[in-house]
């Protein structure tokens, strides 16, 4: 363990600050009309996108891990900018991983991304089942043995039947792990039948049931969620009133029962696991 890791406040007091955010490829949306009148911003570059990404970078810089959905890893609409890498560098994260999920020719590419101040032990890219391909789960493993932690970043389908089979897959993915944090955009409320069924079978509990996150300009739906295993205590979990996307981000502080092993918070080291995923 490095000296930087030994001096890390999180390594000392076992607290983890994590944020989950669907960033809509760095584009703001102020009302439903914007989806039509400003829909061109989803396929063409515009200056506001960089300004928005700078604000997102300042937001996530306060956290140990940032789990991002709807990130673009380099297409026409972003000026071929890998947004995960951009945010990691702007916010000073030593480690970043991205998972390409959907490509619309050269116009747009949609990914899940994870930024981390702690060195991952390994990263796995899981393509989720469903009638329409293009959804994924990015699983990041920290530590070893009894002190291992699995963080899963997900973005589920719009259709209920696809979400059900995707949650079945995620149940199988997480059930053998004792310490799990699963976050992301589920496109479903906590009391939807597929989520209720998942919770009935899973060892995970839902801690974000009442957090309204969508749409960001007038939040009415709780669809961005946090699931944790029983030994992890969530001391804070809230939706942040930061309208930088069509979703609001969810921020949380989680108390682990142990300090992670293999912690490395050196700001000078950067790693890209985006092309090293094991499927």
């Amino acid at each position: 363990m490095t000296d930087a890791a030994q001096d890390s406040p999180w390594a000392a007091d076992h607290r983890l600050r994590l944020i989950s955010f669907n960033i809509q490829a760095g584009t703001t949306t102020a009302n439903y009309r914007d989806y039509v009148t400003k829909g061109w911003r989803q396929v063409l570059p515009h200056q506001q996108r960089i300004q928005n990404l700078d604000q997102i970078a300042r937001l996530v810089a306060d956290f140990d891990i940032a789990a991002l959905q709807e990130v673009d890893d380099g297409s026409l609409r972003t000026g071929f900018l890998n947004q995960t890498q951009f945010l990691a560098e702007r916010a000073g994260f030593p480690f970043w991983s991205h998972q390409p999920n959907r490509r619309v020719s050269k116009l747009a590419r949609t990914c899940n991304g994870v930024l981390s101040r702690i060195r991952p032990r390994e990263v796995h890219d899981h393509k989720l089942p469903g009638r329409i391909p293009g959804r994924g789960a990015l699983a990041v493993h920290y530590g070893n043995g009894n002190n291992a932690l699995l963080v899963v970043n997900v973005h589920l389908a719009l259709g209920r039947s696809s979400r059900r089979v995707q949650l079945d897959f995620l149940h199988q993915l997480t059930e053998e792990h004792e310490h799990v944090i699963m976050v992301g955009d589920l496109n479903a409320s906590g009391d939807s039948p597929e989520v209720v069924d998942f919770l009935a079978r899973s060892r995970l509990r839902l801690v974000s049931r009442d957090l309204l996150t969508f749409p960001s300009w007038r939040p009415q739906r709780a669809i961005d969620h946090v699931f944790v295993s029983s030994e992890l205590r969530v001391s804070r979990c809230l939706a942040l009133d930061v309208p930088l996307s069509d979703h609001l981000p969810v921020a949380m502080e989680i108390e682990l029962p142990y300090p992670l092993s293999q912690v490395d918070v050196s700001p000078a080291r950067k790693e890209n696991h985006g092309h090293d995923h094991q499927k």
Side-chain angles (χ1 to χ4, degrees):
M1 184 178 291
T2 66
D3 291 340
Q6 291 171 343
D7 293 338
S8 166
W10 175 42
D13 63 16
H14 307 183
R15 288 182 300 172
L16 172 68
R17 287 170 54 83
L18 190 150
I19 187 169
S20 176
F21 194 8
N22 180 327
I23 71 167
Q24 200 186 17
T27 300
T28 58
T29 302
N31 51 63
Y32 283 113
R33 291 192 303 275
D34 282 357
Y35 288 120
V36 177
T37 61
K38 298 180 180 180
W40 62 270
R41 297 186 304 175
Q42 296 301 325
V43 293
L44 293 175
H46 59 93
Q47 184 58 38
Q48 186 203 23
R49 195 186 302 275
I50 293 296
Q51 298 170 0
N52 204 39
L53 288 173
D54 280 332
Q55 294 185 68
I56 293 171
R58 288 194 291 271
L59 171 68
V60 302
D62 289 334
F63 295 84
D64 300 301
I65 298 174
L68 308 175
Q69 305 90 44
E70 287 196 28
V71 190
D72 194 299
D73 72 340
S75 66
L76 177 63
R77 66 176 173 177
T78 68
F80 301 99
L81 174 71
N82 186 319
Q83 294 182 332
T84 308
Q85 181 178 8
F86 177 90
L87 290 170
E89 293 177 351
R90 286 295 176 95
F93 282 88
F95 310 106
W96 60 275
S97 306
H98 73 271
Q99 176 196 39
N101 288 317
R102 181 173 296 167
R103 176 184 298 179
V104 183
S105 66
K106 294 183 179 181
L107 295 177
R109 291 167 61 96
T110 302
C111 304
N112 292 328
V114 172
L115 318 179
S116 181
R117 302 198 183 281
I118 304 94
R119 179 192 290 276
R121 173 168 54 85
E122 56 187 7
V123 180
H124 293 258
D125 175 346
H126 299 279
K127 302 304 181 186
L128 293 176
R131 289 187 299 176
I132 301 175
R135 302 288 180 173
L138 186 57
V140 185
H141 298 256
Y142 298 95
N144 292 286
N146 294 332
N147 287 354
L149 173 69
L150 173 62
V151 176
V152 184
N153 179 25
V154 303
H155 190 186
L156 301 192
L158 296 173
R160 175 166 292 170
S161 60
S162 290
R163 288 197 300 269
R164 187 177 293 278
V165 297
Q166 290 167 358
L167 286 166
D168 287 343
F169 178 92
L170 291 168
H171 170 64
Q172 296 175 27
L173 176 66
T174 59
E175 66 175 339
E176 299 299 326
H177 298 271
E178 186 174 1
H179 305 117
V180 178
I181 302 169
M182 188 174 83
V183 299
D185 177 2
L186 267 66
N187 279 309
S189 65
D191 57 1
S192 63
E194 64 275 23
V195 175
V196 171
D197 179 65
F198 170 79
L199 290 170
R201 295 178 292 120
S202 173
R203 295 190 299 169
L204 304 182
R205 69 185 194 277
L206 178 63
V207 297
S208 56
R209 188 181 303 275
D210 299 322
L211 296 183
L212 302 179
T213 58
F214 183 85
S216 58
W217 59 91
R218 188 180 297 172
Q220 298 174 338
R221 300 180 61 198
I223 61 175
D224 297 273
H225 290 301
V226 180
F227 301 83
V228 298
S229 49
S230 59
E231 288 193 24
L232 305 183
R233 180 177 177 269
V234 179
S235 52
R236 288 195 302 168
C237 185
L238 65 159
L240 302 180
D241 187 13
V242 181
L244 297 173
S245 168
D246 58 348
H247 291 245
L248 295 180
V250 175
M252 66 216 76
E253 185 172 270
I254 298 173
E255 296 181 16
L256 304 176
Y258 52 82
L260 284 184
S261 60
Q262 296 187 1
V263 178
D264 188 338
V265 293
S266 169
R269 183 181 290 113
K270 295 180 175 65
E271 288 189 1
N272 168 20
H273 291 275
H275 302 290
D276 298 331
H277 295 159
Q278 302 174 34
K279 296 185 181 180

PDB file of all heavy atoms in Angstrom, residues 10-24:
ATOM      1  N   TRP A  10     -10.569   8.102   3.505  1.00  0.00           N
ATOM      2  CA  TRP A  10     -11.492   6.985   3.337  1.00  0.00           C
ATOM      3  C   TRP A  10     -10.871   5.690   3.828  1.00  0.00           C
ATOM      4  O   TRP A  10     -11.501   4.886   4.494  1.00  0.00           O
ATOM      5  CB  TRP A  10     -11.885   6.859   1.871  1.00  0.00           C
ATOM      6  CG  TRP A  10     -12.736   5.671   1.604  1.00  0.00           C
ATOM      7  CD1 TRP A  10     -13.769   5.225   2.376  1.00  0.00           C
ATOM      8  CD2 TRP A  10     -12.621   4.770   0.526  1.00  0.00           C
ATOM      9  NE1 TRP A  10     -14.312   4.095   1.818  1.00  0.00           N
ATOM     10  CE2 TRP A  10     -13.628   3.795   0.684  1.00  0.00           C
ATOM     11  CE3 TRP A  10     -11.792   4.682  -0.578  1.00  0.00           C
ATOM     12  CZ2 TRP A  10     -13.805   2.758  -0.222  1.00  0.00           C
ATOM     13  CZ3 TRP A  10     -11.978   3.666  -1.475  1.00  0.00           C
ATOM     14  CH2 TRP A  10     -12.972   2.719  -1.285  1.00  0.00           C
ATOM     15  N   ALA A  11      -9.590   5.467   3.509  1.00  0.00           N
ATOM     16  CA  ALA A  11      -8.928   4.254   3.969  1.00  0.00           C
ATOM     17  C   ALA A  11      -8.910   4.193   5.489  1.00  0.00           C
ATOM     18  O   ALA A  11      -8.918   3.121   6.081  1.00  0.00           O
ATOM     19  CB  ALA A  11      -7.508   4.196   3.425  1.00  0.00           C
ATOM     20  N   ALA A  12      -8.891   5.365   6.157  1.00  0.00           N
ATOM     21  CA  ALA A  12      -8.823   5.396   7.616  1.00  0.00           C
ATOM     22  C   ALA A  12     -10.187   5.194   8.260  1.00  0.00           C
ATOM     23  O   ALA A  12     -10.310   4.464   9.244  1.00  0.00           O
ATOM     24  CB  ALA A  12      -8.224   6.725   8.070  1.00  0.00           C
ATOM     25  N   ASP A  13     -11.235   5.845   7.719  1.00  0.00           N
ATOM     26  CA  ASP A  13     -12.526   5.784   8.414  1.00  0.00           C
ATOM     27  C   ASP A  13     -13.578   4.964   7.664  1.00  0.00           C
ATOM     28  O   ASP A  13     -14.735   4.930   8.077  1.00  0.00           O
ATOM     29  CB  ASP A  13     -13.053   7.188   8.700  1.00  0.00           C
ATOM     30  CG  ASP A  13     -13.340   7.983   7.437  1.00  0.00           C
ATOM     31  OD1 ASP A  13     -13.418   7.379   6.343  1.00  0.00           O
ATOM     32  OD2 ASP A  13     -13.502   9.202   7.530  1.00  0.00           O
ATOM     33  N   HIS A  14     -13.194   4.315   6.590  1.00  0.00           N
ATOM     34  CA  HIS A  14     -14.048   3.364   5.885  1.00  0.00           C
ATOM     35  C   HIS A  14     -15.214   4.022   5.159  1.00  0.00           C
ATOM     36  O   HIS A  14     -16.143   3.330   4.775  1.00  0.00           O
ATOM     37  CB  HIS A  14     -14.607   2.298   6.836  1.00  0.00           C
ATOM     38  CG  HIS A  14     -13.582   1.584   7.639  1.00  0.00           C
ATOM     39  ND1 HIS A  14     -13.901   0.548   8.495  1.00  0.00           N
ATOM     40  CD2 HIS A  14     -12.242   1.745   7.734  1.00  0.00           C
ATOM     41  CE1 HIS A  14     -12.805   0.120   9.076  1.00  0.00           C
ATOM     42  NE2 HIS A  14     -11.782   0.829   8.635  1.00  0.00           N
ATOM     43  N   ARG A  15     -15.192   5.321   4.963  1.00  0.00           N
ATOM     44  CA  ARG A  15     -16.290   5.978   4.270  1.00  0.00           C
ATOM     45  C   ARG A  15     -16.000   6.099   2.777  1.00  0.00           C
ATOM     46  O   ARG A  15     -14.888   6.411   2.375  1.00  0.00           O
ATOM     47  CB  ARG A  15     -16.541   7.368   4.858  1.00  0.00           C
ATOM     48  CG  ARG A  15     -17.179   7.344   6.242  1.00  0.00           C
ATOM     49  CD  ARG A  15     -17.427   8.741   6.731  1.00  0.00           C
ATOM     50  NE  ARG A  15     -16.182   9.499   6.831  1.00  0.00           N
ATOM     51  CZ  ARG A  15     -16.131  10.809   7.092  1.00  0.00           C
ATOM     52  NH1 ARG A  15     -17.241  11.505   7.251  1.00  0.00           N
ATOM     53  NH2 ARG A  15     -14.957  11.420   7.190  1.00  0.00           N
ATOM     54  N   LEU A  16     -17.026   5.873   1.980  1.00  0.00           N
ATOM     55  CA  LEU A  16     -16.925   5.975   0.526  1.00  0.00           C
ATOM     56  C   LEU A  16     -17.963   6.967   0.038  1.00  0.00           C
ATOM     57  O   LEU A  16     -19.150   6.834   0.324  1.00  0.00           O
ATOM     58  CB  LEU A  16     -17.174   4.604  -0.111  1.00  0.00           C
ATOM     59  CG  LEU A  16     -17.283   4.569  -1.637  1.00  0.00           C
ATOM     60  CD1 LEU A  16     -15.928   4.893  -2.258  1.00  0.00           C
ATOM     61  CD2 LEU A  16     -17.770   3.217  -2.119  1.00  0.00           C
ATOM     62  N   ARG A  17     -17.510   7.974  -0.702  1.00  0.00           N
ATOM     63  CA  ARG A  17     -18.424   8.941  -1.317  1.00  0.00           C
ATOM     64  C   ARG A  17     -18.564   8.582  -2.792  1.00  0.00           C
ATOM     65  O   ARG A  17     -17.575   8.512  -3.515  1.00  0.00           O
ATOM     66  CB  ARG A  17     -17.885  10.368  -1.157  1.00  0.00           C
ATOM     67  CG  ARG A  17     -18.018  10.887   0.264  1.00  0.00           C
ATOM     68  CD  ARG A  17     -17.270  12.197   0.447  1.00  0.00           C
ATOM     69  NE  ARG A  17     -17.670  13.213  -0.534  1.00  0.00           N
ATOM     70  CZ  ARG A  17     -18.736  14.003  -0.423  1.00  0.00           C
ATOM     71  NH1 ARG A  17     -19.545  13.888   0.625  1.00  0.00           N
ATOM     72  NH2 ARG A  17     -19.006  14.914  -1.341  1.00  0.00           N
ATOM     73  N   LEU A  18     -19.812   8.344  -3.214  1.00  0.00           N
ATOM     74  CA  LEU A  18     -20.077   7.878  -4.574  1.00  0.00           C
ATOM     75  C   LEU A  18     -21.203   8.705  -5.176  1.00  0.00           C
ATOM     76  O   LEU A  18     -22.161   9.051  -4.481  1.00  0.00           O
ATOM     77  CB  LEU A  18     -20.437   6.396  -4.552  1.00  0.00           C
ATOM     78  CG  LEU A  18     -20.519   5.650  -5.891  1.00  0.00           C
ATOM     79  CD1 LEU A  18     -20.141   4.188  -5.703  1.00  0.00           C
ATOM     80  CD2 LEU A  18     -21.920   5.730  -6.493  1.00  0.00           C
ATOM     81  N   ILE A  19     -21.082   9.009  -6.462  1.00  0.00           N
ATOM     82  CA  ILE A  19     -22.137   9.718  -7.185  1.00  0.00           C
ATOM     83  C   ILE A  19     -22.505   8.923  -8.426  1.00  0.00           C
ATOM     84  O   ILE A  19     -21.639   8.348  -9.090  1.00  0.00           O
ATOM     85  CB  ILE A  19     -21.703  11.154  -7.550  1.00  0.00           C
ATOM     86  CG1 ILE A  19     -22.875  11.936  -8.158  1.00  0.00           C
ATOM     87  CG2 ILE A  19     -20.483  11.159  -8.461  1.00  0.00           C
ATOM     88  CD1 ILE A  19     -22.601  13.433  -8.286  1.00  0.00           C
ATOM     89  N   SER A  20     -23.802   8.851  -8.712  1.00  0.00           N
ATOM     90  CA  SER A  20     -24.317   8.197  -9.916  1.00  0.00           C
ATOM     91  C   SER A  20     -25.073   9.244 -10.720  1.00  0.00           C
ATOM     92  O   SER A  20     -25.910   9.976 -10.175  1.00  0.00           O
ATOM     93  CB  SER A  20     -25.233   7.034  -9.542  1.00  0.00           C
ATOM     94  OG  SER A  20     -25.815   6.458 -10.700  1.00  0.00           O
ATOM     95  N   PHE A  21     -24.797   9.306 -12.043  1.00  0.00           N
ATOM     96  CA  PHE A  21     -25.343  10.410 -12.822  1.00  0.00           C
ATOM     97  C   PHE A  21     -25.484  10.004 -14.286  1.00  0.00           C
ATOM     98  O   PHE A  21     -24.515   9.614 -14.942  1.00  0.00           O
ATOM     99  CB  PHE A  21     -24.396  11.616 -12.710  1.00  0.00           C
ATOM    100  CG  PHE A  21     -24.946  12.938 -13.180  1.00  0.00           C
ATOM    101  CD1 PHE A  21     -26.282  13.101 -13.533  1.00  0.00           C
ATOM    102  CD2 PHE A  21     -24.113  14.052 -13.265  1.00  0.00           C
ATOM    103  CE1 PHE A  21     -26.786  14.323 -13.955  1.00  0.00           C
ATOM    104  CE2 PHE A  21     -24.594  15.282 -13.684  1.00  0.00           C
ATOM    105  CZ  PHE A  21     -25.927  15.415 -14.030  1.00  0.00           C
ATOM    106  N   ASN A  22     -26.710  10.096 -14.807  1.00  0.00           N
ATOM    107  CA  ASN A  22     -26.958   9.997 -16.242  1.00  0.00           C
ATOM    108  C   ASN A  22     -26.721  11.393 -16.815  1.00  0.00           C
ATOM    109  O   ASN A  22     -27.537  12.303 -16.611  1.00  0.00           O
ATOM    110  CB  ASN A  22     -28.391   9.524 -16.506  1.00  0.00           C
ATOM    111  CG  ASN A  22     -28.695   9.404 -17.992  1.00  0.00           C
ATOM    112  OD1 ASN A  22     -28.191  10.160 -18.818  1.00  0.00           O
ATOM    113  ND2 ASN A  22     -29.535   8.448 -18.349  1.00  0.00           N
ATOM    114  N   ILE A  23     -25.619  11.576 -17.551  1.00  0.00           N
ATOM    115  CA  ILE A  23     -25.218  12.923 -17.955  1.00  0.00           C
ATOM    116  C   ILE A  23     -25.750  13.329 -19.330  1.00  0.00           C
ATOM    117  O   ILE A  23     -25.455  14.424 -19.807  1.00  0.00           O
ATOM    118  CB  ILE A  23     -23.690  13.088 -17.911  1.00  0.00           C
ATOM    119  CG1 ILE A  23     -23.015  12.293 -19.031  1.00  0.00           C
ATOM    120  CG2 ILE A  23     -23.125  12.719 -16.545  1.00  0.00           C
ATOM    121  CD1 ILE A  23     -21.549  12.657 -19.234  1.00  0.00           C
ATOM    122  N   GLN A  24     -26.515  12.468 -19.998  1.00  0.00           N
ATOM    123  CA  GLN A  24     -27.114  12.781 -21.305  1.00  0.00           C
ATOM    124  C   GLN A  24     -26.060  13.311 -22.281  1.00  0.00           C
ATOM    125  O   GLN A  24     -26.291  14.277 -23.010  1.00  0.00           O
ATOM    126  CB  GLN A  24     -28.265  13.795 -21.143  1.00  0.00           C
ATOM    127  CG  GLN A  24     -29.234  13.808 -22.313  1.00  0.00           C
ATOM    128  CD  GLN A  24     -30.267  14.908 -22.217  1.00  0.00           C
ATOM    129  OE1 GLN A  24     -30.122  15.871 -21.466  1.00  0.00           O
ATOM    130  NE2 GLN A  24     -31.335  14.785 -22.983  1.00  0.00           N
TER     131      GLN A  24
END
